[in-house]
């Protein structure tokens, strides 16, 4: 595991990004204005196979008030850091003890179905909902922002990064801390895959075993429902 740390001008928000590969300054995240210009501190952890462990390591290295955990295939538009701080002020106005925020999440509707909430450009699809910031059931792993005073960490026993943010939001909620989708858009150039990787199944197995009292779990990519002791993915 190799660590690259970039000092930044901001003491408010920093960025942590893990990668299975070596650091590449041409990757999408590194071309973001706030990263390229050294406006926000950055911890880039390459060659890691445990994303949650890398997140916690980066969390310890950064000293900013807030930390954004994201991916190498994410672009932060000009002024992104100021939009995040503005959204934090809005969340603080009605919930000073929030647990996590991010640009993409899902909320539970009254009929038991989920509804996307947030503001994100995902490949060619722009997804935006009004009324942000808004409380959500869980956030997407594409970006999760946490406040240092919350003193929560990522679960390093998660087999893969899949559903890691969902697990975090569930744990936060159990401790009385809510999660919110915010209006601080990012661009995500993920590779579209129609095949569910085997590591995703491992994360599902770990998640449902850790939360045995749940009957339904909402994530941006899947809904897990327990029926007669068995879990089904919808």
């Amino acid at each position: 595991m190799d660590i690259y740390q970039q000092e930044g001008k901001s003491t408010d928000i920093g960025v942590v990004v893990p990668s299975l590969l070596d650091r590449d300054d041409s990757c999408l995240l590194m071309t973001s204005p706030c990263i390229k210009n050294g406006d926000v501190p950055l911890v880039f952890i390459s060659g890691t196979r445990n994303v949650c462990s890398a997140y916690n390591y980066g969390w310890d290295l950064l000293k900013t008030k807030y930390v954004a955990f994201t991916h190498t295939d994410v672009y932060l538009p000009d002024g992104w850091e100021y939009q995040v701080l503005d959204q934090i002020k809005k969340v603080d106005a009605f919930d000073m003890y929030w647990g996590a925020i991010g640009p993409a999440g899902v909320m539970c509707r009254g009929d038991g179905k989920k509804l996307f909430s947030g503001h994100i450009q995902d490949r060619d699809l722009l997804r935006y909902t009004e009324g942000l910031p808004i409380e959500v059931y869980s956030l997407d792993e594409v970006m999760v922002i946490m406040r240092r005073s919350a003193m929560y960490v990522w679960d390093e026993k998660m087999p893969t990064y899949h559903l890691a943010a969902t697990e975090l939001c569930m744990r936060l909620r159990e401790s009385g801390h809510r999660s919110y989708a915010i209006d601080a858009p990012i661009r995500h150039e993920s590779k579209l895959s129609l095949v569910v990787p085997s590591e995703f199944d491992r994360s599902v197995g770990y998640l449902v075993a850790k939360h045995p009292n749940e009957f339904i779990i909402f994530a941006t990519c899947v809904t897990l429902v327990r029926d007669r002791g068995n879990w089904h993915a919808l």
Side-chain angles (χ1 to χ4, degrees), residues 61-76:
L61 288 178
L62 286 177
K63 304 303 178 186
T64 50
K65 295 179 184 178
Y66 311 103
V67 178
F69 303 91
T70 191
H71 301 168
T72 57
D73 58 0
V74 164
Y75 180 80
L76 312 177

Side-chain angles (χ1 to χ4, degrees), residues 4 13 24-25 28-29 36 52 66 74 77 99 101-103 107 111 118 124 127 130 136 145 150 161 170 180 195 214:
Y4 168 79
I13 188 166
D24 181 3
D25 288 339
L28 191 58
L29 180 72
K36 190 175 181 179
C52 290
Y66 311 103
V74 164
I101 59 176
M107 59 187 299
D111 58 2
D124 296 329
R127 308 187 74 181
E130 297 181 348
V136 292
I145 302 167
Y161 73 91
M170 294 175 68
Y180 296 88
V195 179
E214 299 287 340

Side-chain angles (χ1 to χ4, degrees), residues 77-224:
D78 191 26
W80 165 83
E81 65 272 35
Y82 301 110
Q83 289 182 290
V84 170
L85 295 176
D86 178 68
Q87 289 290 294
I88 288 175
K89 288 181 181 179
K90 292 182 178 181
V91 175
D92 279 344
F94 56 82
D95 185 359
M96 293 184 62
Y97 303 100
W98 58 270
I101 59 176
V106 287
M107 59 187 299
C108 179
R109 301 193 318 190
D111 58 2
K113 296 182 179 180
K114 68 182 180 183
L115 182 69
F116 171 84
S117 298
H119 191 176
I120 184 173
Q121 178 83 35
D122 200 349
R123 293 184 299 273
D124 296 329
L125 177 63
L126 175 63
R127 308 187 74 181
Y128 170 71
T129 53
E130 297 181 348
L132 302 173
I134 191 170
E135 184 180 354
V136 292
Y137 178 95
S138 66
L139 295 167
D140 192 273
E141 287 77 19
V142 68
M143 177 176 285
V144 174
I145 302 167
M146 298 172 64
R147 56 187 181 90
R148 186 164 300 281
S149 58
M151 297 299 291
Y152 273 82
V153 296
W154 295 82
D155 183 357
E156 297 183 9
K157 293 182 180 180
M158 281 292 293
T160 71
Y161 73 91
H162 297 291
L163 302 176
T166 300
E167 192 285 323
L168 175 68
C169 292
M170 294 175 68
R171 189 157 31 95
L172 286 168
R173 185 169 56 256
E174 289 171 355
S175 299
H177 298 285
R178 297 180 176 90
S179 301
Y180 296 88
I182 61 172
D183 191 1
I186 62 174
R187 193 173 92 236
H188 185 211
E189 294 293 339
S190 62
K191 294 181 180 178
L192 181 62
S193 176
L194 300 179
V195 179
V196 177
S198 59
E199 57 262 29
F200 183 85
D201 291 336
R202 290 165 52 207
S203 288
V204 169
Y206 178 82
L207 184 65
V208 298
K210 186 174 180 179
H211 300 275
N213 296 325
E214 299 287 340
F215 286 91
I216 187 167
I217 297 175
F218 296 101
T220 53
C221 57
V222 69
T223 298
L224 303 172

Side-chain angles (χ1 to χ4, degrees), residues 3 5 15-17 43 45 52-63 67 69 148:
I3 311 297
Q5 189 167 2
V15 176
V16 175
V17 59
V43 174
I45 302 175
C52 290
S53 177
Y55 279 162
N56 288 336
Y57 193 85
W59 170 269
D60 290 337
L61 288 178
L62 286 177
K63 304 303 178 186
V67 178
F69 303 91
R148 186 164 300 281

